[in-house]
Amino acid sequence: MFDSDIPYESRGGMAGRIKSSVSTSPSMAIIFLCVISFFLEMVPGIGPLYISAFQFDPGSLLTRPWTLVTYIFLHTGLWHLFFNMLVLYFFGTALERRIGNKQLLGIFFTAGVLSAIGYTFLSRPIFNIYPGPMVGASGAIYGVFAALTVLEPNIKVYVYFVPMRLKHALLLFAVFDFLMVNSSDMIAHTAHLSGLFVGLYMGFRMKKIHEKYMRSRYGGRW
């Protein structure tokens, strides 16, 4: 898939390597926070209160606006956490190497927030789905996935062990989410699609700015 660009620190051992990864890579920092958050969710007596305080509920959008961000760090189970963090590890670190840490964070959190808003305002009027409480980083990760696809569409990835180009993988997941919108699988497909379109927009915008800069610098000979 993708190679990590995280420096190795032998003297600090495992703790040193984790600290180095978290301090230099926003993707790794997000993964670390999601893992810590997951452990808090598992604490007896505290976990349910923690989830209730930070999950996103469309009915409480105006009274609990902080949940537009905090829901990203919550997950419903170990597999939900594992697959989200695995995808973020590969796609997030690949994107931040290309565009920088600040822009990666901008795409991640913009896609995450707008995924929740899209989930709120698209589910019921368009698909006749009542949008209940939502947790997970999937919408934000879709934004990263889509932005990376715009910038590097021909990267080879493996989807369930099947090799394909990144642009084909994105199309596959987009079609799947669209077809599954009205299913009862308890997955917020409208949030996924919202994050995807945010990532596409931001990716194309960044690509356009980069191309304009290169033309102005090299007079169209690059």
Side-chain angles (χ1 to χ4, degrees):
M1 302 272 281
F2 301 104
D3 296 323
S4 176
D5 194 29
I6 306 302
Y8 180 86
E9 291 187 1
S10 58
R11 286 186 297 177
M14 180 63 72
R17 293 196 296 273
I18 293 174
K19 182 179 179 180
S20 176
S21 297
V22 169
S23 64
T24 58
S25 166
S27 298
M28 295 302 296
I30 291 167
I31 290 171
F32 178 77
L33 290 174
C34 285
V35 171
I36 296 298
S37 178
F38 183 73
F39 280 117
L40 291 175
E41 293 177 55
M42 298 296 105
V43 177
I46 297 176
L49 295 175
Y50 177 72
I51 295 172
S52 179
F54 296 114
Q55 69 182 359
F56 176 73
D57 187 343
S60 304
L61 174 62
L62 297 180
T63 57
R64 302 187 336 139
W66 63 87
T67 59
L68 285 167
V69 173
T70 57
Y71 86 95
I72 294 171
F73 298 94
L74 304 176
H75 289 82
T76 56
L78 183 59
W79 286 114
H80 186 204
L81 174 71
F82 174 77
F83 283 114
N84 271 356
M85 297 304 101
L86 183 66
V87 174
L88 179 60
Y89 172 75
F90 288 117
F91 292 170
T93 54
L95 184 60
E96 68 192 36
R97 287 198 298 269
R98 288 161 173 80
I99 65 174
N101 291 354
K102 290 183 179 179
Q103 288 181 300
L104 180 280
L105 288 172
I107 290 173
F108 181 86
F109 285 108
T110 300
V113 169
L114 293 181
S115 291
I117 293 175
Y119 173 70
T120 301
F121 293 105
L122 296 178
S123 297
R124 192 168 182 83
I126 297 179
F127 299 104
N128 198 31
I129 301 170
Y130 179 77
M134 178 178 70
V135 299
S138 300
I141 293 171
Y142 260 81
V144 171
F145 182 8
L148 180 61
T149 301
V150 172
L151 300 176
E152 300 285 353
N154 294 316
I155 290 177
K156 182 180 287 187
V157 295
Y158 291 84
V159 179
Y160 299 108
F161 305 105
V162 178
M164 63 180 67
R165 296 187 188 280
L166 193 59
K167 59 186 178 183
H168 299 145
L170 182 68
L171 178 61
L172 177 66
F173 280 99
V175 170
F176 174 79
D177 275 304
F178 183 78
L179 294 177
M180 294 296 290
V181 161
N182 285 311
S183 68
S184 56
D185 59 2
M186 303 301 292
I187 296 175
H189 295 287
T190 52
H192 292 179
L193 292 170
S194 298
L196 186 151
F197 283 112
V198 171
L200 287 176
Y201 170 78
M202 297 185 75
F204 278 116
R205 181 175 175 81
M206 290 172 56
K207 185 176 182 180
K208 184 177 180 179
I209 292 172
H210 176 71
E211 290 175 348
K212 183 177 180 180
Y213 166 77
M214 295 299 287
R215 281 195 299 268
S216 66
R217 182 171 182 179
Y218 298 105
R221 297 184 300 274
W222 53 278

